[in-house]
């Protein structure tokens, strides 16, 4: 028996399959043993319907992976088993005539079972059960005809079981290839569906299917995150799609694609929104690991029965889509409607390298509104300074007004701030910096002076000079609004 067991284990673990049956016969079995095997196999061929009934019933009782398929269409399973037994038992009698047909049958069974989602272990177990039943019937038939001939079957036992293991290897290879094709097709369909949702081109009739495919509620609350590198940042190799590790009570992240060094990594221990760690720029984790690669050759080799189904809501992983200028993530929100805390938490958890820009759009209701959510995220991204940072659209609506109409924004900046361009650049920049600090300090000259490290009177003198040069009055609300928008346009629309 050791000679039988070792080749079976080798075949199941992916080594070269056993030699073809005719060669093994010539090397291991004498003519008399082969005649005994052929005689018993011919009897099995004549009683294949009965053998098929027994094997189908044994599969139903002993293999749970096949039970649902048999209950759904017993006749189809019966035909498949009968076809396989006919070619495989026939191969014991006429190897050259039946070998290729038996291989094609086994490959087809592996492909069909992969498409049906039957576990690979169950398919291989079914083949071994069939091999064991055929072998037992060969022994019983030989013993019935002439008990003394049973000893001759020992010479061909290894060949019969190597034949079974060879077909197990064929089935496994076909199953895994079909699984990779199905996985690639499924991922491609998901990518196309995500792209359609974000582009706003998905049909209303397809929303239910999209919800089931992506594991998202059709009427849930969503926001879109847009992430891009700084315009002048050097291009790095590899996908630029960051994994997310969102705070508790927010969607749990599932990294999709390999992280890039130019985009943010979101960590629970990230520094608060708008601040850097240890007095310097934010940091990115070096231990980010890829989640897999696209394409049929790089897909994960998981079994359909062990692969997780689309994540059920709530707590759905962000779904990423690559745009021409940015990466977009669909965020499933689970907090109370009207509570901005979730978006604040996401923004606070973003830990991005210097120069990375991120924009989070407003909350929308339902998958049908994801196209609007993407456009809002793009607007937030355009409102992000070129130096980098994270912008929540709902908190930067004046800036959003400027970037959505750049021509009018530039015209306003030229009209309000144009007189300053006649000054020396350093003098002009000091006035603009003081004006910005004063507005950020809610009109407090003292707090603005603290930020600029100068006396409050210095701040007031610079503001009076601005009013003299531009003819604006900063205490007049209309002028203050125009100045604020003009400064935003100068900052965001600068070439």
């Amino acid at each position: 028996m050791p000679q039988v067991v070792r080749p079976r284990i080798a075949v199941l673990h992916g080594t070269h399959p056993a030699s073809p049956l005719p060669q093994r016969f010539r090397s291991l079995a004498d003519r008399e043993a082969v005649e005994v095997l052929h005689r018993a196999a011919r009897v099995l061929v004549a009683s294949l319907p009965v053998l098929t009934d027994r094997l189908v019933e044994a599969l139903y009782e002993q293999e749970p992976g096949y039970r649902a398929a048999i209950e759904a269409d017993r006749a189809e399973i019966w035909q498949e088993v009968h076809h396989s037994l006919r070619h495989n038992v026939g191969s014991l009698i006429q190897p050259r005539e039946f070998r290729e047909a038996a291989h094609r049958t086994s490959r087809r069974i592996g492909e069909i079972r992969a498409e049906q989602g039957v576990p690979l272990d169950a398919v291989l177990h079914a083949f071994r059960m069939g091999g064991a039943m055929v072998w037992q019937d060969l022994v019983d038939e030989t013993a019935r005809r002439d008990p003394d001939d049973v000893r001759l079957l020992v010479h061909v036992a290894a060949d019969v079981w190597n034949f079974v293991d060879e077909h197990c290897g064929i089935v496994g290879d076909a199953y895994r290839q079909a699984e990779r094709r199905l996985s690639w097709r499924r991922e491609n369909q998901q990518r196309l569906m995500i792209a359609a949702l974000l582009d706003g081109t998905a049909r209303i009739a397809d929303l239910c299917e999209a919800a089931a495919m992506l594991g998202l509620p059709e009427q849930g609350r969503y926001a879109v995150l847009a992430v891009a590198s700084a315009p002048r940042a050097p291009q790095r190799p590899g996908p630029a799609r960051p994994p997310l590790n969102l705070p508790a009570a927010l969607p749990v992240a599932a990294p999709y694609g390999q992280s890039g060094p130019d985009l943010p990594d979101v960590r629970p221990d990230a520094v608060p929104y708008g601040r850097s760690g240890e007095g310097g720029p934010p940091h990115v984790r070096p231990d980010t690991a890829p989640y897999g690669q696209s394409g049929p050759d790089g897909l994960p080799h998981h079994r359909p029965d062990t692969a997780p189904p689309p994540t059920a809501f709530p707590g759905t992983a962000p779904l990423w889509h690559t745009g021409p200028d940015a990466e977009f993530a669909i965020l499933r929100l689970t907090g109370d409607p009207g509570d901005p805390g979730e978006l604040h938490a996401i923004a606070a958890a973003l830990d991005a390298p210097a120069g990375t820009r991120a924009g989070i759009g407003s909350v929308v209701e339902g998958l049908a509104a994801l196209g609007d959510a993407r456009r809002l995220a793009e607007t937030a991204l355009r409102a992000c300074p070129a130096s980098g940072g994270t912008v929540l659209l709902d908190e930067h609506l004046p800036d959003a007004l400027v970037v959505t109409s750049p021509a009018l924004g530039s015209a306003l900046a030229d009209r309000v701030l144009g007189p300053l361009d006649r000054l020396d650049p350093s003098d002009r920049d000091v006035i603009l910096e003081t004006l910005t600090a004063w507005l950020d300090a809610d009109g407090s000259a003292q707090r603005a002076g603290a930020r600029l490290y100068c006396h409050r009177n210095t701040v007031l003198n610079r503001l009076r000079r601005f009013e003299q040069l531009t003819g604006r009055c900063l205490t007049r609300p209309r002028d203050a609004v125009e100045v604020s928008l003009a400064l935003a346009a100068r900052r965001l629309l600068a070439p």
Side-chain angles (χ1 to χ4, degrees):
M1 282 303 292
Q3 295 177 346
V4 178
V5 174
R6 280 196 297 270
R8 292 178 64 197
I9 295 176
V11 170
L12 292 177
H13 284 77
T15 57
H16 295 292
S19 301
L21 189 60
Q23 298 177 5
R24 299 285 292 170
F25 277 148
R26 286 195 295 269
S27 62
L28 296 179
D30 56 25
R31 184 180 302 274
E32 187 178 2
V34 173
E35 291 176 355
V36 170
L37 176 66
H38 287 179
R39 189 163 52 243
R42 291 189 186 96
V43 176
L44 262 64
V45 170
S47 60
L48 273 183
V50 176
L51 178 59
T52 303
D53 289 339
R54 290 166 49 211
L55 182 53
V56 171
E57 188 62 31
L59 288 174
Y60 184 81
E61 294 179 355
Q62 303 176 30
E63 180 45 67
Y66 264 76
R67 193 166 297 150
I70 294 175
E71 290 176 347
D73 193 345
R74 191 182 189 92
E76 190 271 337
I77 297 296
W78 193 96
Q79 290 293 340
E80 177 186 285
V81 172
H82 184 269
H83 198 63
S84 178
L85 287 174
R86 180 163 60 86
H87 285 95
N88 291 336
V89 176
S91 295
L92 299 178
I93 305 171
Q94 297 175 299
R96 290 186 178 87
E97 287 78 0
F98 283 91
R99 179 181 178 83
E100 288 304 319
H103 284 186
R104 287 195 301 270
T105 299
S106 296
R107 280 193 293 268
R108 181 59 181 157
I109 291 174
E111 293 171 352
I112 292 175
R113 292 295 164 259
E115 293 172 356
Q116 293 177 341
V118 177
L120 178 56
D121 287 347
V123 181
L124 297 179
H125 184 214
F127 265 78
R128 295 191 192 99
M129 287 177 62
M133 189 171 289
V134 168
W135 174 250
Q136 187 61 50
D137 282 9
L138 290 172
V139 173
D140 292 344
E141 173 59 27
T142 302
R144 185 192 64 80
R145 186 181 185 90
D146 188 347
D148 292 338
D149 287 346
V150 173
R151 59 183 176 81
L152 295 174
L153 292 180
V154 173
H155 297 288
V156 295
D159 298 283
V160 172
W161 280 109
N162 285 342
F163 176 84
V164 173
D165 289 337
E166 178 186 9
H167 279 261
C168 285
I170 292 171
V171 168
D173 289 342
Y175 186 101
R176 284 183 283 269
Q177 290 174 8
E179 182 186 28
R180 286 193 289 270
R181 289 195 301 270
L182 291 170
S183 181
W184 177 82
R185 188 183 309 159
R186 186 165 49 248
E187 288 192 3
N188 192 50
Q189 290 174 342
Q190 289 180 351
R191 282 193 293 268
L192 293 175
M193 184 60 72
I194 293 171
L197 289 172
L198 290 174
D199 290 342
T201 57
R203 300 184 305 170
I204 297 298
D206 294 335
L207 293 180
C208 183
E209 178 185 354
M213 179 188 300
L214 303 176
L216 297 173
E218 185 175 346
Q219 298 302 326
R221 296 173 58 249
Y222 299 99
V224 172
L225 166 68
V227 185
S229 303
R232 297 178 180 83
Q235 295 297 321
R236 308 289 183 92
R241 188 174 288 167
L244 293 179
N245 186 10
L246 299 178
L250 288 178
V252 178
Y256 184 93
Q258 188 174 354
S259 64
D262 293 330
L263 289 177
D265 184 17
V266 186
R267 309 185 325 203
D269 58 343
V271 295
Y273 167 60
R275 293 167 54 188
S276 59
E278 301 297 332
H283 303 289
V284 62
R285 287 189 309 187
D287 58 344
T288 302
Y291 179 69
Q293 300 175 359
S294 61
D297 294 330
L299 294 172
H301 291 196
H302 55 264
R303 298 193 341 238
D305 60 314
T306 59
T311 309
F313 47 85
T316 304
L319 300 175
W320 288 94
H321 172 68
T322 301
D325 301 313
E327 295 282 341
F328 299 94
I330 300 174
L331 304 176
R332 159 84 169 111
L333 305 178
T334 58
D336 295 331
D339 181 8
E342 272 186 295
L343 295 183
H344 280 283
I346 294 173
L350 281 169
D351 185 15
T356 301
R357 300 178 300 126
I360 302 176
S362 304
V363 178
V364 298
E365 297 288 340
L367 294 178
L370 282 178
D372 294 333
R374 189 217 64 184
R375 287 185 283 274
L376 293 173
E378 287 179 322
T379 300
L381 186 62
R382 291 199 300 271
C384 189
S387 58
T390 302
V391 167
L392 281 172
L393 181 63
D394 291 344
E395 296 187 350
H396 294 78
L397 293 178
D399 292 350
L401 289 174
V402 170
V403 297
T404 52
S405 184
L408 292 178
S410 298
L412 178 63
D414 292 341
R415 179 179 177 182
V416 175
L417 304 178
L420 301 181
D421 293 334
R422 295 191 290 268
L423 300 176
D424 182 84
S426 59
D427 194 13
R428 177 199 61 201
D429 292 342
V430 167
I431 294 178
L432 291 177
E433 182 183 19
T434 303
L435 188 59
T436 301
W438 180 75
L439 290 172
D440 291 342
D442 298 327
S444 172
Q446 184 170 353
R447 291 204 303 271
R451 293 186 182 185
L452 299 173
Y453 302 100
C454 64
H455 195 274
R456 64 181 299 274
N457 290 339
T458 303
V459 173
L460 294 174
N461 290 334
R462 294 172 181 173
L463 295 178
R464 278 193 292 269
R465 189 181 179 198
F466 169 80
E467 292 178 329
Q468 293 169 358
L469 291 171
T470 62
R472 304 285 168 170
C473 178
L474 294 176
T475 59
R476 187 183 301 130
R478 181 185 181 89
D479 286 356
V481 170
E482 289 186 352
V483 169
S484 177
L485 292 175
L487 287 172
R490 180 67 63 94
R491 182 180 75 254
L492 297 173
L493 304 178

